């Protein structure tokens, strides 16, 4: 009986800690961004304003191709010719700290803001 009670208490503590972690993540990542920063091979190739609907194609015939779309304050990868399509399935992002990555094409999209106060809020 005592072992069962301890297991229930342990499970409740773990669930409470997980819930607190999710809540903290939402609070710290709450701030929306102004720009999507597109990096390819470690180099910034575009800084897209999230208030302007835009379509950008990165890559081409000799390298992998990704189609990036900015719409309604969010950014996503709508098409890619990589085998796993993880970047496409990532969906839309709009808050600081969120990332879309296409590792086969060495493409990374992050959300940034032009507000320098608290620029390290999303840094881990």
């Amino acid at each position: 009986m005592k072992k069962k009670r301890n297991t229930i208490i342990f499970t409740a503590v773990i669930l409470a800690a997980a819930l607190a972690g999710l809540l903290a993540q939402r609070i710290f990542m709450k701030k929306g961004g102004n720009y999507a920063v597109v990096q390819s091979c470690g180099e910034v190739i575009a800084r897209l304003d999230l208030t302007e609907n835009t379509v950008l194609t990165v890559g081409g015939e000799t390298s992998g191709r990704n189609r990036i779309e900015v719409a309604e304050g969010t950014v996503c990868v709508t098409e890619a010719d990589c085998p796993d399509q993880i970047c496409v399935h990532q969906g839309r992002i709009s808050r600081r700290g969120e990332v879309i990555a296409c590792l086969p094409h060495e493409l990374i999209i992050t959300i940034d803001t032009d507000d320098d106060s608290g620029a390290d809020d999303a840094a881990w």
Side-chain angles (χ1 to χ4, degrees):
M1 187 67 159
K2 186 175 183 179
K3 195 174 193 179
K4 185 177 181 180
R5 186 188 72 176
N6 288 343
T7 302
I8 291 172
I9 291 171
F10 177 74
T11 303
V13 168
I14 295 297
L15 289 175
L19 183 61
L22 289 173
L23 184 61
Q25 181 182 18
R26 283 290 176 195
I27 290 170
F28 290 118
M29 291 177 61
K30 184 177 179 182
K31 187 172 184 178
N34 303 89
Y35 298 95
V37 179
V38 181
Q39 297 178 23
S40 180
C41 299
E43 187 176 317
V44 175
I45 58 171
R47 187 171 166 94
L48 306 173
D49 189 343
L50 293 180
T51 61
E52 298 176 14
N53 293 348
T54 309
V55 175
L56 172 68
T57 301
V58 178
E61 293 178 19
T62 59
S63 64
R65 184 182 55 78
N66 295 80
R67 183 173 183 263
I68 301 164
E69 179 181 302
V70 176
E72 300 175 11
T74 64
V75 64
C76 69
V77 175
T78 57
E79 294 177 24
D81 60 2
C82 56
D84 55 13
Q85 299 286 301
I86 291 175
C87 54
V88 175
H89 297 298
Q90 175 68 36
R92 297 191 169 275
I93 62 172
S94 63
R95 289 185 251 150
R96 284 180 44 193
E98 294 180 317
V99 176
I100 296 175
C102 182
L103 296 182
H105 298 162
E106 298 182 43
L107 177 78
I108 297 176
I109 304 169
T110 57
I111 302 297
D112 198 6
T113 180
D114 53 6
D115 177 18
D116 287 335
S117 64
D120 294 332
D121 287 351
W124 303 92

